Amino acid sequence: MSGSFDTATRPGPAATAQPILVDILDLDKYYGSVQVLHGVTLTVRRAEKVVICGPSGSGKSTLVRCINGLETFQAGTVLVDRTDIAQPRELDRIRADIGMVFQQFNLFPHMTVLENCMFAPVWVRKMSRAQARELAMHYLETVRIPDKADRYPGQLSGGQQQRVAIARALAMKPKLMLFDEPTSALDPEMVKEVLDTLVDLAQSGMTMVCVTHEMGFARQVADRLVFMDQGRVVEAGPPAQIFDAPQTDRLRAFLSQML
């Protein structure tokens, strides 16, 4: 298994000249007596797009939440921009530089779309309301829904709400974007509009780590795919290798069900 960890730390060719932004080493995570991450080692370089896939319960979402400090862990290290995420005094500062989009949209229902996107820049970045409004509108245009700025979340479709959630995260100008199954709560006809937004974001040069079952998106966008099973990195590499020349029976079985 150690050989697959070595593969997982090797970045894709598009990012090899970039410095490491996320550095995870020998990460163990337990829920009570149940171990859900087993010695996970992974690096993500600036501007790299890493897609994490695998069956339900494989530890994908837990791993992403550990990067953002939303989950504590029992062994190993997680460094984001060379800062240890486990240091409580640094956590708020690090989180301000990490955008995260969840399965559920988590928008404030009593605020308009524009107010949702302005909230963190005003209260965390200490921007003026005029600056925050300009920035929020810029990112609402980026995700192609500036016309919804004055609507409330309950007036939007699920796909539109998820695009607002992406714009809200981008308004903090993060160094890193994390996505945890961003399309899993959407009706099938709404998935494409969110995936199109993610493709645009990837092409802009944003550093991204995305947990998803959308294999077509993974093939199109990822510099590197990481396949996890039972809390371990089983195999990792560029999309052509993962899809066309899988090295393990477990990955071949997974792909036979997904493709």
Side-chain angles (χ1 to χ4, degrees), residues 215-232:
M215 294 294 99
F217 166 79
R219 187 188 284 270
Q220 178 180 0
V221 166
D223 296 310
R224 190 159 37 115
L225 262 67
V226 175
F227 173 65
M228 294 185 67
D229 187 39
Q230 297 183 352
R232 294 179 170 88

Side-chain angles (χ1 to χ4, degrees), residues 91-130:
L91 187 54
D92 287 344
R93 181 182 64 80
I94 297 170
R95 277 183 178 161
D97 288 330
I98 302 174
M100 186 156 184
V101 177
F102 300 87
Q103 297 177 26
Q104 302 298 329
F105 322 122
N106 297 325
L107 300 173
F108 296 118
H110 63 289
M111 293 183 180
T112 65
V113 164
L114 182 61
E115 290 167 343
N116 266 279
C117 294
M118 290 173 58
F119 184 82
V122 168
W123 290 99
V124 178
R125 297 291 194 200
K126 306 303 181 184
M127 288 185 187
S128 69
R129 289 190 61 82

Side-chain angles (χ1 to χ4, degrees), residues 17 30 38 45 51 60 100 104 137 142 152 171 174 183 187 189 207 222 243:
Y30 290 80
H38 298 259
R45 293 181 179 268
V51 171
K60 310 180 301 295
M100 186 156 184
Q104 302 298 329
M137 287 303 303
T142 298
Y152 288 88
T183 61
D187 292 334
E189 65 269 20
T207 309
F243 287 112

Side-chain angles (χ1 to χ4, degrees), residues 4 15 25 27 32 37-38 47 67 69 71 86 91 93 106 116 137 151 161 163 194 197 208 233 240 247 251 259:
S4 60
L25 180 64
L27 191 67
L37 294 177
H38 298 259
I67 296 173
E71 296 280 359
L91 187 54
R93 181 182 64 80
N106 297 325
N116 266 279
M137 287 303 303
R151 300 281 184 90
Q161 289 187 62
R163 283 190 281 164
V194 173
T197 300
M208 296 170 58
V233 174
Q247 302 297 301
L251 176 55
L259 298 179

Side-chain angles (χ1 to χ4, degrees), residues 158-169:
Q160 290 169 339
Q161 289 187 62
Q162 191 63 294
R163 283 190 281 164
V164 173
I166 295 169
R168 179 180 60 179

